[in-house]
Structure formats: structure tokens, C-alpha cells
């Protein structure tokens, strides 16, 4: 679940990637549902005058508590919409281990990695960084992560290869120590695969 609170007291919750589809919105009271025009798949909700329901002191990305999700689900049910929201408090930025890294056929710079993110869970991630190599510990933005610049990470395809996340550079993470040279952030060997990356 991806949540953003904006200054005009609107909370936007994305539950699926609808960025490349024709969408429609239906509003009932203080809730608008955003869905695919053709298939009806629900991409998310906008909640209006939401400060009465959740804490919106900070604009930008917001992690919802279980109690806040419960209150928002009451609003969804009262409007007659479905599905309801589910709490997702798993970290979206984690330490990963690049187990395999192979050049992508037909590309002069992209590589296909198999990157472990937690207890044997491996994601295929396409990466264009010049310094990516097998054996590195890296920062992985998992599907649903919201980058510091507001970009939402979704699963997708790059040059006909599936990619399920993003291996991040220090610049993309907007770290103060970010070098100007292109390349992913390589972490120390003693970092633990699967642990949350702290900005």
C-alpha cells in the first residue's frame, strides 16, 4: 500500500499500478475510488477531509497504522466500495544480495540480476548501473516503495525482461554523501540481508 498525504487534506492510497491504463474515478461522499475503465480493477482511493480520520501533519509518504486503516475501511464500506485496505507494515527499502548478474541480450548497459531480499526470497531486478556485480550487498526498493522524489516502484518490464523492484544509488535515495559518479550504492559486508535500510 502506498499512501501520500497532501496539503489540501486529501490522502491518496494506491493499491495497484494504474499509471499506464485509462482510469475513472467515482466519488461517494468523502471517498473516491480510482479504477480501470475497461476491467474495473481498483487502483486506489482518495480520501477527502481526511484529517478527521488520520494524522496528516506531514505531507508526503505516510505509513498508516492499523487503527488508521480500520477507520479508512469504515469510510470505504460506508461509501459502498470494495476492496478494503490491508495493513502492510513491511519495510519497502531493504538490504539485498546480488546473487547473479548477467548482461541483458540486446542492451549495451542493462543487466538482469537475481537479488535475494530476505530468507531466500529472490527478485529478478533489471539494473543499468555500471558498477553492479554479483556478490554485492545493495539497497533494494521493493514494489510499493516510494522514492524520495515521489516515484513509486512497481513491477514492470524493461526490454522484455520482468523487473520486480529497483536497486538504488545513493543519489536516488537522496543521501547527503551521494557521489556524482553514476552507480548503485554498495553496502558493507556486515549488513544483514533483508533488514530495513535506514535513510
Amino acid at each position: 500500500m502506498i499512501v501520500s498525504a497532501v496539503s489540501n487534506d486529501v490522502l491518496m492510497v494506491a493499491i495497484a499500478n494504474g499509471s499506464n491504463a485509462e482510469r475513472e474515478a467515482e466519488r461517494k461522499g468523502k471517498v473516491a475510488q480510482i479504477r480501470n475503465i475497461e476491467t474495473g480493477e481498483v487502483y486506489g482511493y482518495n480520501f477527502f477531509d481526511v484529517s478527521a480520520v488520520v494524522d496528516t501533519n506531514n505531507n508526503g509518504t505516510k505509513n498508516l497504522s492499523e487503527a488508521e486503516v480500520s477507520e479508512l475501511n469504515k469510510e470505504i464500506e460506508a461509501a459502498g466500495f470494495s476492496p478494503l485496505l490491508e495493513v502492510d507494515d513491511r519495510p519497502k527499502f531493504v538490504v539485498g544480495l546480488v546473487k547473479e548478474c548477467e548482461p541483458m541480450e540486446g542492451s549495451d548497459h542493462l543487466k538482469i540480476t537475481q537479488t535475494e531480499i530476505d530468507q531466500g526470497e529472490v527478485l529478478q531486478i533489471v539494473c543499468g548501473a555500471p558498477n553492479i556485480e554479483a556478490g554485492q550487498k545493495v539497497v533494494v526498493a521493493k514494489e510499493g516503495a516510494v522514492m524520495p522524489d515521489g516515484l513509486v516502484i512497481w513491477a514492470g518490464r524493461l526490454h522484455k525482461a520482468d523487473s520486480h523492484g529497483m536497486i538504488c544509488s545513493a543519489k536516488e535515495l537522496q543521501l547527503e554523501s551521494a557521489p556524482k559518479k553514476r552507480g548503485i550504492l554498495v553496502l558493507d559486508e556486515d549488513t544483514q540481508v533483508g533488514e530495513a535500510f535506514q535513510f
Side-chain angles (χ1 to χ4, degrees):
M1 181 189 326
I2 302 91
V3 183
S4 295
V6 295
S7 59
N8 61 348
D9 207 17
V10 178
L11 187 75
M12 296 170 286
V13 180
I15 57 177
N17 184 7
S19 59
N20 295 323
E22 286 197 54
R23 294 165 286 173
E24 63 182 356
E26 179 183 4
R27 182 171 174 174
K28 295 181 182 177
K30 295 182 178 181
V31 182
Q33 184 184 72
I34 295 88
R35 57 182 176 251
N36 185 299
I37 290 176
E38 291 183 8
T39 67
E41 179 188 3
V42 176
Y43 295 134
Y45 295 98
N46 289 348
F47 298 89
F48 299 88
D49 302 322
V50 76
S51 56
V53 181
V54 302
D55 175 15
T56 57
N57 285 336
N58 297 317
N59 290 333
T61 304
K62 175 173 176 55
N63 294 322
L64 292 171
S65 68
E66 216 168 306
E68 289 172 324
V69 169
S70 177
E71 289 302 311
L72 293 172
N73 279 336
K74 289 176 187 175
E75 300 276 332
I76 292 171
E77 287 181 311
F81 290 133
S82 66
L84 298 179
L85 304 177
E86 295 180 11
V87 176
D88 182 4
D89 55 6
R90 295 169 297 174
K92 297 298 184 189
F93 294 89
V94 298
V95 175
L97 172 63
V98 181
K99 298 185 78 78
E100 298 176 22
C101 182
E102 300 293 336
M104 179 187 288
E105 189 176 328
S107 172
D108 62 355
H109 70 288
L110 293 176
K111 294 182 180 159
I112 300 174
T113 75
Q114 303 300 322
T115 302
E116 182 179 354
I117 59 165
D118 192 21
Q119 298 179 2
E121 182 183 357
V122 176
L123 300 178
Q124 178 169 292
I125 301 175
V126 176
C127 181
N131 65 329
I132 185 81
E133 294 178 3
Q136 293 171 328
K137 288 189 176 174
V138 296
V139 179
V140 175
K142 295 164 41 178
E143 186 174 2
V146 181
M147 300 298 290
D149 66 359
L151 174 72
V152 179
I153 303 302
W154 297 105
R157 289 179 67 78
L158 293 170
H159 290 270
K160 301 181 181 179
D162 292 333
S163 188
H164 299 278
M166 178 175 162
I167 298 174
C168 304
S169 70
K171 184 177 180 182
E172 289 163 334
L173 297 169
Q174 295 185 3
L175 301 181
E176 288 183 12
S177 60
K180 293 185 179 179
K181 187 177 177 182
R182 277 188 71 231
I184 52 125
L185 175 63
V186 179
L187 302 174
D188 293 335
E189 277 298 312
D190 60 356
T191 54
Q192 185 69 36
V193 173
E195 73 180 13
F197 178 76
Q198 304 297 330
F199 287 83

